[in-house]
Amino acid sequence: MISEKIRPHHLERKALLYVRQSSAHQVQHNRESSALQYAMQGRLRALGWSAIEVIDDDLGRSAAGWCPARRFERMVAEVCLGKVGAVCAREVSRFARNSRDWQQLIEMCRVVDTVLIDQETVYAPRQGNDRLLLGLKGSLNEYDSISCASARFSGPPREGAPRRARRRGAGGFREGR
């Protein structure tokens, strides 16, 4: 179960386990997902880490809100300071809420030589193939998020939609300004 991508200097630094569920409803009603995410501590121990910190500060906060994801910012800051040997989540693409944040995390992990770990793989961002895979996973996650959001808004028009359409005119732009 040990990966050749994990070196002694990674194990000397702590591992961060990132636990994320976007809504209070998910936190309350999707407890199996939470349990599986917290269980990733066992994977980190099996890979050789003894110092593991769980980051779940703003569990249940949606990316749609205006408040920043404090735990993500804290995680990136600790990675930048070189205190972290590994960042772990059940699915690595769930670390960031958008591509910009995801690419920033990958780049910082590359610069300070921090590995990213999920339930299946250990990724070393300094290796070109791993960087490519991480980029693709982030892009696919963002595409999936956008597709889900589009599906929510493409249902039957809600009350008030015709009024907005009249106000905006053809092509969605306001007329007469």
Side-chain angles (χ1 to χ4, degrees):
M1 194 154 190
I2 301 295
S3 170
E4 69 279 353
K5 295 176 186 178
I6 299 171
R7 303 280 183 227
H9 68 276
H10 293 121
L11 297 172
E12 291 168 1
R13 297 181 271 166
K14 69 181 171 184
L16 296 179
L17 173 60
Y18 184 78
V19 177
R20 175 178 168 197
Q21 285 185 303
S22 299
S23 70
H25 182 270
Q26 286 179 338
V27 173
Q28 291 175 342
H29 299 289
N30 199 357
R31 293 177 190 219
E32 181 181 359
S33 174
S34 291
L36 290 170
Q37 291 183 64
Y38 283 110
M40 290 296 293
Q41 291 177 79
R43 174 148 165 73
L44 287 167
R45 281 189 197 92
L47 289 169
W49 271 274
S50 56
I52 301 167
E53 181 180 339
V54 177
I55 296 183
D56 59 3
D57 305 20
D58 55 359
L59 194 62
R61 294 187 188 195
S62 171
W66 283 96
C67 65
R70 291 180 302 205
R71 67 174 178 233
F72 182 80
E73 292 171 353
R74 190 177 103 216
M75 179 178 64
V76 172
E78 291 205 35
V79 167
C80 289
L81 291 172
K83 296 179 176 182
V84 179
V87 193
C88 178
R90 189 154 184 265
E91 299 173 38
V92 290
S93 62
R94 300 275 296 159
F95 280 124
R97 296 169 186 246
N98 59 56
S99 282
R100 184 181 58 83
D101 290 347
W102 177 239
Q103 293 301 326
Q104 176 191 18
L105 177 63
I106 294 170
E107 181 61 14
M108 289 302 106
C109 287
R110 184 192 67 77
V111 169
V112 298
D113 194 16
T114 296
V115 294
L116 291 103
I117 300 172
D118 67 13
Q119 64 185 349
E120 300 171 353
T121 308
V122 175
Y123 301 93
R126 287 189 168 186
Q127 296 180 6
N129 285 342
D130 283 1
R131 218 171 26 256
L132 176 64
L133 284 172
L134 289 165
L136 286 171
K137 283 181 173 258
S139 295
L140 289 171
N141 185 55
E142 187 171 48
Y143 175 78
D144 187 44
S145 296
I146 291 169
S147 295
C148 289
S150 295
R152 281 195 303 261
F153 294 116
S154 66
R158 291 185 246 160
E159 191 175 326
R163 187 171 55 247
R164 280 195 306 273
R166 282 195 305 271
R167 254 195 342 250
R168 296 211 176 261
F173 297 100
R174 290 191 177 163
E175 298 173 358
R177 276 203 169 191

